[in-house]
Amino acid sequence: MTTADRLAAARAAQDAAAREHQEQRALRDRHVTSATADATESLHRDAATHGRYLTRAQDLQRRHREAGGWLTEKAMTDRTHTIDLTPPADRPPDEPTPPTPGHPIRPGRFDDHDFANNTWMVD
């Protein structure tokens, strides 16, 4: 094998290596472009989900503030009505309110320290 043949073989091997390197670079660039497009699409899709989550979290925080710090299910529901605890206008204010059903009328003055009438007391 002559020097010219060895030089031609070396140049052919170098050209083959350069061509393979260019093909690998092109393949890598296609993968990067594809991954970037997929990631962008995924971010846009997730942004909508995160936006809904953020809106819900802000709504819960607003309701928590409006409920006075009581984060309960009753306080969190959208209320269509409120309970009116004011006495009716046709009853005089000095008239006692009627007892609630199931609760006996206590005679006399109520004593905060008298626990004898509680059902949870054990003899």
Side-chain angles (χ1 to χ4, degrees), residues 20-98:
E20 182 179 350
H21 179 67
Q22 287 175 351
E23 290 173 358
Q24 287 178 353
R25 176 175 284 211
L27 182 62
R28 189 172 49 243
D29 289 343
R30 279 195 306 266
H31 284 299
V32 167
T33 304
S34 173
T36 304
D38 290 344
T40 303
E41 180 183 336
S42 175
L43 284 175
H44 287 299
R45 189 175 54 246
D46 290 346
T49 303
H50 293 300
R52 288 191 305 270
Y53 173 76
L54 183 61
T55 303
R56 175 72 176 150
Q58 288 171 345
D59 185 45
L60 288 174
Q61 186 176 10
R62 178 189 55 81
R63 289 182 183 184
H64 177 69
R65 263 194 324 272
E66 288 175 358
W70 293 97
L71 190 59
T72 61
E73 195 62 34
K74 285 282 192 182
M76 301 310 287
T77 58
D78 290 328
R79 298 182 195 162
T80 58
H81 65 283
T82 57
I83 300 173
D84 185 18
L85 299 176
T86 58
D90 60 344
R91 188 174 36 171
D94 57 342
E95 182 181 327
T97 58

